[in-house]
Amino acid sequence: MTSDDAGGGPGGIDRCAPVGRIGERAVISALTAAATAAGPADDIVIGSGDDAAVLDIGGSTVISTDTVVEGRHFRFDWSTPRQVGARAVIQSAADVAAMGGRTTGLVISIACPPETPVGVVLDLNDGVVDAAHGLGARVLGGDLVAAAEVVVSVTAVGALEGRRPVSLGGARSGDVLAVSGPLGASAAGLAVLSDAESGPESWPDVVALHRVPSPDLTQGPIAAAAGAHAMTDISDGLVEELITMSRAAGLAMEVRVDAIPRRGDLDAVADELGADVGEWVLTGGEDHHLLAAFEPASVPAGWTVIGSVREAGGPVPEVWVDGRRVGGPDGPDLHGWQSFSQPRR
Amino acid sequence: MTSDDAGGGPGGIDRCAPVGRIGERAVISALTAAATAAGPADDIVIGSGDDAAVLDIGGSTVISTDTVVEGRHFRFDWSTPRQVGARAVIQSAADVAAMGGRTTGLVISIACPPETPVGVVLDLNDGVVDAAHGLGARVLGGDLVAAAEVVVSVTAVGALEGRRPVSLGGARSGDVLAVSGPLGASAAGLAVLSDAESGPESWPDVVALHRVPSPDLTQGPIAAAAGAHAMTDISDGLVEELITMSRAAGLAMEVRVDAIPRRGDLDAVADELGADVGEWVLTGGEDHHLLAAFEPASVPAGWTVIGSVREAGGPVPEVWVDGRRVGGPDGPDLHGWQSFSQPRR
């Protein structure tokens, strides 16, 4: 990003004009102004507006990137640009939290059609900035390019602050599995939005959690400090993450559905929609709460034990739900969402 | 990225099959295998294949992101996927170099239509990995999503290794302006590719430099160590970068065209195409060589002095080329390339 005085700040820009007419520099100038207006800055040496940002993280740096595409990961008729921006940040920050890191900064790339109104890009950026500030992080820079559809990439960087990073594959036999928040809400919200008969206003809470998930990402550092052996965020659904953890550790994972925390309203939503609440809880992605393996005595407050880790009986992945095997090559088709919408091989 | 044994490594995957049929996980597995097969790893604590990567940079971290879009920043009939990947890396690494940083790692996001052959994504990734290794850097992770067109975002992170970061705006009156390599080659290569009559084989060198620029990015840390006051990489054309530097410093910048280094074959290419070699040198972007302001006695070996910095006579930007003002509001329309193809305001 480069700063640009010409063209005015966010206040001086015509929000209804297409991005292609206002020009990249003027829009980037407005985005930069919004990103640098406020927020934590202790560790920022050089922020947004130069060739690159410079920050003093101190110790190990955690880095992760995530991309969302209009029409595939979000719809502007279901989410505001601000919600889309916030969700993109939380997705990337959840990956940093899943290593035990605290997100300190992020860079964002926005691709959009030239005819996109400038206000859409500014609102999306506001969502990014707000979500970053909510995490105690700062927007460090970005890129704005023309494309056929809106594509938003967020790369988050974080600090371990002396904690050991928690990998995917470190679970040990005898560990318990625990989650940091209630599952299935985002899937329920998506189901409400997809249902022709129920309006979003009928179940506003789960719809809001689909639009912008609100995992407590401070639980990542807390789990790392508590000595978690393995951790990931639940982005593709619990079963999918258990399969990944099982494969990475070479161990079997088992969970009980009735132990998995879920919101009090989830059963009522499922009843109204004729949906299966268990499927939301097991396969619904995008809640971005954390899943971790701990020694039984080390589970931090705020985490709910949902199962355990044991030696595998054969080739991994080996995942069991209520005594039924789901993670094997011949298991039932109970998998999380994948970007290309194809069954897992 | 998550690692995935099922589906085989790069050797076991059908390169002609569409990404959407092979599935995201299997393709990511192949990409991860390629990224982790070799390359420098001294500072990598946890590499590609977990929720996020962890690296020990030590001291300040530099971070920058850049995005390229099919049909706008590259064309697959003009560049191979491997070249597209390499170029995306160099673009981001040039921003890190322009702060005085050495790129140590990067994350990549690839969006592509589900019908894209897997081989295209693997080749693109190979270009990313090769270019990263060429810079002494490592691919730390990434994301693969479906989209209407190919969009590649590279976020590079680098180390300052004790050097002071060199900002855009630090030029001082009395400084000389210098560049780290010959300009205009990428623009000439683009002109050859765009010309209906000359085939790329007639001027293979400039065409190759358009496909994959080859700036010496070690000059960034060298310039920082030499005490450069300001620096940027030439991505949007020399005049555009001078305008940015002038505005950021509040000073006037003047250059002489005959002092600007250019390849020996550039005049012959311009002659054949009936093009203006001066325009390529002044406004051609994407060479990604570095432009810096130094005290006259501090210009490192390998840099060419092209002009100087002085007090501005009025409002900035104020840029002079061969005694003609080009950077003012009433200057001639001699601007670099912008993503949205609109004249600067």
Side-chain angles (χ1 to χ4, degrees), chain A residues 258-284:
Chain A
D258 64 6
I260 302 169
R262 59 181 190 257
R263 292 172 49 90
D265 55 2
L266 224 57
D267 293 83
V269 181
D271 276 352
E272 181 174 308
L273 269 57
D276 178 355
V277 74
E279 193 174 323
W280 287 344
V281 165
L282 289 169
T283 70

Side-chain angles (χ1 to χ4, degrees), chain A residues 46-286:
Chain A
I46 293 181
S48 201
D50 214 303
D51 292 293
V54 179
L55 66 164
D56 270 330
I57 284 180
S60 294
T61 301
V62 187
I63 184 164
S64 186
T65 194
D66 247 306
T67 299
V68 291
V69 180
E70 181 181 2
R72 297 177 196 266
H73 304 89
F74 65 86
R75 293 169 49 165
F76 279 131
D77 54 339
W78 284 359
S79 297
T80 65
R82 184 181 276 263
Q83 289 164 342
V84 170
R87 185 169 137 183
V89 168
I90 288 165
Q91 261 185 242
S92 263
D95 283 324
V96 170
M99 305 304 295
R102 182 177 64 80
T103 295
T104 54
L106 53 92
V107 291
I108 178 165
S109 165
I110 302 174
C112 69
E115 60 271 22
T116 308
V118 169
V120 168
V121 176
L122 294 178
D123 285 347
L124 200 154
N125 190 62
D126 284 347
V128 167
V129 171
D130 285 352
H133 291 180
L135 295 166
R138 186 74 183 249
V139 179
L140 298 168
D143 198 13
L144 176 67
V145 297
E149 61 198 344
V150 177
V151 180
V152 180
S153 280
V154 172
T155 301
V157 293
L160 277 174
E161 298 161 331
R163 294 177 296 273
R164 278 186 46 202
V166 185
S167 72
L168 267 171
R172 300 176 199 171
S173 181
D175 278 355
V176 294
L177 295 165
V179 293
S180 66
L183 304 188
S186 180
L190 177 62
V192 171
L193 285 167
S194 307
D195 188 71
E197 286 167 32
S198 33
E201 62 287 347
S202 56
W203 300 102
D205 292 352
V206 292
V207 168
L209 286 169
H210 174 71
R211 288 171 170 153
V212 186
S214 68
D216 175 5
L217 298 182
T218 65
Q219 293 298 336
I222 287 170
H229 293 154
M231 184 156 54
T232 191
D233 74 304
I234 300 170
S235 51
D236 292 339
L238 177 63
V239 167
E240 198 71 36
E241 308 301 349
L242 289 169
I243 287 170
T244 302
M245 261 194 188
S246 165
R247 184 180 285 125
L251 295 170
M253 310 273 152
E254 52 185 346
V255 296
R256 298 183 316 281
V257 172
D258 64 6
I260 302 169
R262 59 181 190 257
R263 292 172 49 90
D265 55 2
L266 224 57
D267 293 83
V269 181
D271 276 352
E272 181 174 308
L273 269 57
D276 178 355
V277 74
E279 193 174 323
W280 287 344
V281 165
L282 289 169
T283 70
E286 306 187 335

Side-chain angles (χ1 to χ4, degrees), chain A residues 71-73 190 236 286 333 335-345, chain B residues 18-25 112-115 144-147:
Chain A
R72 297 177 196 266
H73 304 89
L190 177 62
D236 292 339
E286 306 187 335
D333 187 21
H335 59 271
W337 179 90
Q338 277 199 250
S339 176
F340 287 96
S341 308
Q342 291 295 125
R344 290 187 68 252
R345 287 155 51 107
Chain B
V19 170
R21 181 151 62 77
I22 298 290
E24 183 190 6
R25 294 222 164 201
C112 70
E115 58 272 22
L144 176 67
V145 298

Side-chain angles (χ1 to χ4, degrees), chain B residues 65 131 165 187 204 246 263 286 303 327 329 344:
Chain B
T65 195
S246 165
R263 291 172 50 89
E286 306 188 336
W303 288 70
R344 292 188 66 251

Side-chain angles (χ1 to χ4, degrees), chain B residues 72-305:
Chain B
R72 297 177 195 266
H73 304 89
F74 65 87
R75 293 170 47 165
F76 279 130
D77 53 339
W78 284 0
S79 299
T80 64
R82 185 181 276 262
Q83 290 164 342
V84 170
R87 186 168 137 185
V89 168
I90 288 164
Q91 261 184 243
S92 262
D95 283 324
V96 170
M99 305 305 294
R102 181 177 65 78
T103 295
T104 54
L106 53 90
V107 290
I108 178 165
S109 164
I110 302 174
C112 70
E115 58 272 22
T116 308
V118 169
V120 169
V121 175
L122 294 177
D123 285 348
L124 199 154
N125 189 63
D126 284 345
V128 166
V129 171
D130 285 352
H133 292 179
L135 294 165
R138 186 75 185 248
V139 180
L140 298 168
D143 198 13
L144 176 67
V145 298
E149 62 198 343
V150 177
V151 180
V152 180
S153 280
V154 172
T155 301
V157 293
L160 278 174
E161 298 160 331
R163 295 178 295 274
R164 277 186 45 203
V166 185
S167 73
L168 267 171
R172 300 176 198 172
S173 181
D175 278 354
V176 293
L177 295 165
V179 293
S180 66
L183 304 188
S186 179
L190 177 62
V192 171
L193 285 168
S194 306
D195 188 69
E197 285 167 32
S198 32
E201 62 286 348
S202 55
W203 300 103
D205 291 353
V206 293
V207 168
L209 286 169
H210 174 70
R211 288 171 170 153
V212 186
S214 68
D216 175 5
L217 298 182
T218 64
Q219 294 298 334
I222 287 170
H229 293 154
M231 183 154 57
T232 191
D233 75 304
I234 300 171
S235 51
D236 292 339
L238 177 63
V239 167
E240 197 72 35
E241 309 300 349
L242 290 168
I243 288 170
T244 301
M245 259 195 190
S246 165
R247 184 179 285 126
L251 295 168
M253 310 273 153
E254 52 184 348
V255 296
R256 299 182 316 282
V257 172
D258 64 6
I260 301 169
R262 59 179 189 259
R263 291 172 50 89
D265 54 2
L266 224 57
D267 293 83
V269 181
D271 276 352
E272 181 174 308
L273 271 56
D276 178 354
V277 74
E279 193 174 322
W280 287 343
V281 164
L282 290 170
T283 69
E286 306 188 336
D287 289 311
H288 296 291
H289 294 297
L290 301 167
L291 165 69
F294 295 97
E295 280 178 24
S298 301
V299 181
W303 288 70
T304 307
V305 173

